[in-house]
Amino acid sequence: MPKIVHAKLLITDGGVFYTQASHYVDMIYFLFGKITNAYGVGGRMRKFEVYDTVSAICELQNGTVGALNATVSVFRSNYLTELTVIGEKGTIRLSGTNLNRIDFWDVNDMEKPDKDFTIDHQYGKCHDTMYEYIVQKKWDMFPNYEGVLNGIQLMERISF
């Protein structure tokens, strides 16, 4: 199956992966490494200039295979974000509007974290912390140049 790319759509806005799901794309890179192959489809349910809904199957350099689905066409407000990781030593499932809830935790030799992930607004707690790091010039808290480029490369390979 060939990789689907529509360059015209990338120039205008970038689509749902660049605008709304970029954090999750970064998370995939951080957890699993570089992407080696990707296939997918996109659609425009709301007739935007770019795809508002995209599904991609990704193969990563460590052999991990996964699916990433993203949309901005949810009725009224942000509905749900989910991450399920199934590995040889455990399975976890996070959900919530910002992955702020542990739905399932079965990991060999690792207890479920006892943390309160309650958020006080739709964007979570991290943006405020990120701004503090910028003001305090804690640059080591941010990805290095190679990490940023790899994240961008991942989005380019799965964006439509």
Side-chain angles (χ1 to χ4, degrees):
M1 180 185 296
K3 181 174 177 285
I4 302 168
V5 176
H6 297 284
K8 178 181 176 194
L9 297 175
L10 292 175
I11 294 168
T12 308
D13 176 84
V16 66
F17 279 144
Y18 279 95
T19 58
Q20 307 315 119
S22 61
H23 298 303
Y24 304 110
V25 171
D26 286 340
M27 183 176 62
I28 289 170
Y29 167 71
F30 177 78
L31 293 172
F32 303 107
K34 290 182 182 179
I35 189 169
T36 58
N37 222 343
Y39 305 99
V41 320
R44 290 181 291 234
M45 295 173 56
R46 297 208 178 164
K47 310 298 182 221
F48 295 153
E49 292 181 26
V50 295
Y51 290 144
D52 56 32
T53 302
V54 179
S55 292
I57 303 296
C58 306
E59 181 181 5
L60 297 132
Q61 71 182 15
N62 68 356
T64 301
V65 174
L68 179 61
N69 301 294
T71 187
V72 291
S73 290
V74 177
F75 180 67
R76 278 191 228 267
S77 65
N78 189 3
Y79 168 64
L80 184 66
T81 301
E82 299 173 282
L83 171 70
T84 302
V85 177
I86 301 169
E88 64 184 88
K89 294 184 180 182
T91 302
I92 64 168
R93 182 174 182 272
L94 308 177
S95 70
T97 55
N98 294 280
L99 295 179
N100 56 308
R101 185 173 62 232
I102 300 173
D103 291 331
F104 185 82
W105 188 277
D106 183 16
V107 180
N108 187 42
D109 296 328
M110 183 183 255
E111 293 293 319
K112 178 180 173 182
D114 184 23
K115 295 190 126 220
D116 178 15
F117 295 107
T118 306
I119 56 174
D120 53 1
H121 54 80
Q122 70 181 11
Y123 298 115
K125 297 179 180 180
C126 295
H127 285 92
D128 294 341
T129 304
M130 180 191 70
Y131 298 141
E132 286 177 28
Y133 290 157
I134 291 170
V135 169
Q136 297 168 3
K137 298 183 180 181
K138 291 185 177 182
W139 305 121
D140 59 319
M141 301 304 292
F142 295 93
N144 63 21
Y145 182 73
E146 181 183 330
V148 171
L149 289 181
N150 288 327
I152 291 169
Q153 205 173 45
L154 178 62
M155 285 188 285
E156 287 175 345
R157 296 202 62 183
I158 62 177
S159 292
F160 308 97

